[in-house]
Each structure stands twice: as structure tokens, then as C-alpha cells.
Amino acid sequence: MAEVLTVDADDPAGPVIARAIAALQEGALLIYPTDTLYALGGLALKAGVGRKVREAKGREEAKPLPLVAAGLEQARSLCAHWPEAAERLAARFWPGPLSLVLAARAELPSEVTAGTATVAVRVPGRELTRRLCSEGPLIATSANRAGEAAPHACAEAVATMGAWAALAVDGGPGRLASSTLVDLTGDRPRLLRAGPVEWSDVLATLEASS
């Protein structure tokens, strides 16, 4: 069962971050808070980590895994193409609960992209989550078995997924909603999942830039 470390998500203690990053570097999985729900993940670019996450969740092979990044440049490094729409939305809503689906770089593991050639990425609002990404972007799928309710408290995540993770970082309760998910790979943006960022605000931001 995962060891639980308690931390202030907005002002995380260095030793906790160091322990979590050391576990990630070894290829371990981590339960951690984002600015929405509790996530299960590991270093997205490390071989085998995506497979571990899929096994833990029972996730469909054809379903890609979402990522979180430390900042704009790290997020852009995951993408084969960074359109003007992504630049505008990132400037308005990041850090925050808006995930963008973009064309993925060929170097991303297929266990992350699931053969879709796309990647969903965002820069989260919590300082803790961004600091955990200092060694690279993290897989950030909700810490629950596929088809079950997503956890907004660390204890819920540990009860369900603790056997799969080396550590769980408890940063207090999260929100009850997943991030807003917007697909930018086509000619027009598409709302794939409603969330904390309103679709009308997304459209208004893009229209203001046209």
C-alpha cells in the first residue's frame, strides 16, 4: 500500500517533493492532487510507466492518457504542432483546469497516446503539481479503476489505487469536476468534456483573437 505524505499543495515542502521525484525517476507510480481531482501517474516519457497506469486502472488500450506539465514550454515540447488557438487559450487559462488535445510528437510513447497521434495536456494550477513535473510531464489520469467514481480526496484514491503506487501525496481535497477538455486538432475547436472552464469562455477567447 502506498505511503501517504501530507503537504501544503500551494507551498509544498522540499523534502516531500524530493521523495516523490525520486520515486518517479525510478519508474514508480504516484497518487497526487491536481487542481481538479486526485491523479494516478508517473513520468510520461519513461518507458513502461504508461503500461503500469493502464494495468492499475484497467484502462482501454485505445484510450490515451492525459498529461500535466510544469509550464508552457514543457507542454509545447510534447506537441508536433502548436496552433495559435493553443497559444491563446494557454495564455488565458493556464495554469488551470483546461486540457488541450493537440498533435503529439512522435517521441511520445504509444502507451500514452494509444496510437491516436494526439496528446491531452495542461498546466495545472497547484504549485505542488507543477513542481512534481520538474523532471518531466506526468501522466494525470484520475486515481480510480476505469468506470468508477473519480476521487477528490487522497484517502479515497489510496483505498482504490494504493496497491499500485509507491507514494501518495495528500494535498487536501480537490474539486468535484475533471478539467475542461478541448480538441484543437481539427479545423474548429471541439468540446470533448465540460468542466470548470466554461465552453463559452473558450469560444470568446478564440473569437477575440480572430
Side-chain angles (χ1 to χ4, degrees):
M1 185 65 66
E3 179 185 359
V4 179
L5 305 176
T6 302
V7 69
D8 182 340
D10 297 314
D11 187 20
V16 172
I17 296 293
R19 283 196 61 191
I21 288 176
L24 291 169
Q25 289 172 328
E26 292 173 359
L29 300 187
L30 188 70
I31 293 169
Y32 63 96
T34 68
D35 48 353
T36 55
L37 304 167
Y38 268 78
L40 176 74
L43 289 172
L45 303 182
K46 199 169 186 67
V49 169
R51 175 182 49 78
K52 289 181 183 179
V53 172
R54 289 185 181 281
E55 290 175 355
K57 283 185 65 78
R59 193 176 179 89
E60 300 171 20
E61 290 298 323
K63 208 169 178 183
L65 295 168
L67 308 183
V68 288
L72 178 61
E73 290 308 309
Q74 191 178 84
R76 291 182 66 173
S77 74
L78 300 168
C79 304
H81 176 57
W82 186 259
E84 178 65 18
E87 191 70 20
R88 295 284 183 170
L89 292 175
R92 169 78 187 278
F93 297 109
W94 286 359
L98 175 68
S99 296
L100 302 178
V101 177
L102 298 154
R105 288 186 61 183
E107 294 82 358
L108 262 66
S110 60
E111 58 200 18
V112 171
T113 63
T116 63
T118 65
V119 60
V121 63
R122 69 187 178 94
V123 176
R126 278 185 160 178
E127 175 70 17
L128 167 63
T129 318
R130 295 196 301 273
R131 287 184 62 182
L132 290 173
C133 294
S134 62
E135 293 298 306
L138 297 183
I139 294 169
T141 185
S142 57
N144 56 274
R145 293 286 293 176
E148 296 181 358
H152 73 284
C154 187
E156 297 171 9
V158 170
T160 303
M161 307 301 290
W164 295 90
L167 292 173
V169 181
D170 189 345
R175 295 182 178 180
L176 296 177
S178 300
S179 64
T180 304
L181 184 62
V182 175
D183 185 351
L184 297 179
T185 60
D187 294 334
R188 303 172 68 88
R190 290 192 303 132
L191 178 66
L192 300 183
R193 181 180 67 211
V197 174
E198 296 291 339
W199 178 233
S200 58
D201 290 338
V202 170
L203 292 178
T205 300
L206 296 176
E207 289 168 2
S209 66
S210 61

